[in-house]
Amino acid sequence: DAGVIQSPRHEVTEMGQEVTLRCKPISGHNSLFWYRQTMMRGLELLIYFNNNVPIDDSGMPEDRFSAKMPNASFSTLKIQPSEPRDSAVYFCASSSLTIGQPQHFGDGTRLSIL
Amino acid sequence: GDSVTQMEGPVTLSEEAFLTINCTYTATGYPSLFWYVQYPGEGLQLLLKATKADDKGSNKGFEATYRKETTSFHLEKGSVQVSDSAVYFCALSDLNYGQNFVFGPGTRLSVLP
């Protein structure tokens, strides 16, 4: 079975540009999570969705960040405008809303803002 | 809210040494517990899990036992290899109390030949 698919794998862009990260969760999973990982701050939960509805976005750093999940098989994380401090690895993960079931992570998007 | 505490490391061991990475948790309810591993340049992968007290999760020579009385889920391996060098994350999930996944800060393990 295909795992969580993220695109692009790498993104390099200049500050001020809009960045869109994409995620396709595992089919049948109904929870989706966006994380950011840096050396300084470790793994941070940005937002998660249950059944396509945002449940907790308290981890979204500021209004420049937005996330959508228009259907069960696709989600985006957008940064506009981007800043150098947004440079990080962004992970998407999915799971089923079932007790004891783990999260499954994608390979991440390595974002560099120049 | 729920939380996970683990030794932050880094932990440096020689090949074939015994490994223990401590993990303790606080939770309102009765969580499921997980260990994830992250190899350089990759995402987090599930290593093992346990869903009730005294359950032992195991995989690739790693083991962890769900200890409800001490609220712990320590990761152990009898003989580590260079290929085990990675970052290890302890995590919990408690859907009964509306608590989705909570991760510890991760422990970096380096195994020297």
Side-chain angles (χ1 to χ4, degrees):
Chain A
D1 288 341
V4 175
I5 300 173
Q6 292 186 246
S7 64
R9 288 297 312 276
H10 303 273
E11 175 90 11
V12 180
T13 192
E14 293 187 348
M15 66 177 294
Q17 298 297 307
E18 178 178 290
V19 173
T20 300
L21 310 182
R22 297 173 176 80
C23 176
K24 177 178 170 55
I26 291 173
S27 177
H29 282 184
N30 45 12
S31 280
L32 183 139
F33 307 78
W34 283 102
Y35 291 89
R36 178 172 68 177
Q37 187 177 42
T38 61
M39 289 295 292
M40 290 295 293
R41 301 171 72 94
L43 188 69
E44 302 173 277
L45 176 66
L46 300 178
I47 185 172
Y48 78 91
F49 297 82
N50 284 349
N51 297 313
N52 311 339
V53 175
I55 301 301
D56 183 359
D57 66 353
S58 60
M60 296 285 262
E62 49 198 273
D63 292 345
R64 298 184 297 106
F65 286 68
S66 62
K68 294 182 179 180
M69 192 164 186
N71 57 62
S73 58
F74 184 66
S75 176
T76 59
L77 178 68
K78 188 173 293 187
I79 308 172
Q80 167 64 17
S82 58
E83 296 183 4
R85 60 192 168 124
D86 301 330
S87 299
V89 181
Y90 291 80
F91 288 105
C92 177
S94 70
S95 72
S96 63
L97 276 171
T98 306
I99 293 172
Q101 291 304 303
Q103 284 188 351
H104 297 263
F105 282 75
D107 289 333
T109 295
R110 184 171 296 274
L111 177 64
S112 296
I113 309 297
L114 306 177
Chain B
D2 294 3
S3 66
V4 174
T5 303
Q6 62 178 110
M7 53 194 292
E8 294 202 23
V11 174
T12 302
L13 296 173
S14 298
E15 205 165 24
E16 299 184 2
F18 185 86
L19 169 71
T20 299
I21 299 177
N22 290 336
C23 171
T24 57
Y25 67 90
T26 58
T28 304
Y30 200 144
S32 298
L33 302 174
F34 307 87
W35 276 101
Y36 284 80
V37 58
Q38 184 179 29
Y39 299 104
E42 300 184 11
L44 280 70
Q45 304 173 25
L46 178 69
L47 182 59
L48 53 84
K49 73 174 187 179
T51 58
K52 61 182 187 296
D54 300 325
D55 266 1
K56 178 186 284 188
S58 61
N59 186 23
K60 299 181 182 179
F62 291 89
E63 295 182 339
T65 300
Y66 191 143
R67 300 290 187 198
K68 189 164 169 55
E69 64 276 12
T70 55
T71 62
S72 64
F73 193 53
H74 303 323
L75 182 68
E76 296 182 336
K77 186 175 185 183
S79 176
V80 294
Q81 305 300 311
V82 172
S83 57
D84 294 326
S85 298
V87 180
Y88 293 82
F89 293 88
C90 186
L92 69 79
S93 171
D94 190 358
L95 292 178
N96 277 332
Y97 283 80
Q99 177 64 68
N100 226 311
F101 288 81
V102 176
F103 282 83
T107 300
R108 182 174 299 278
L109 170 67
S110 295
V111 181
L112 305 178

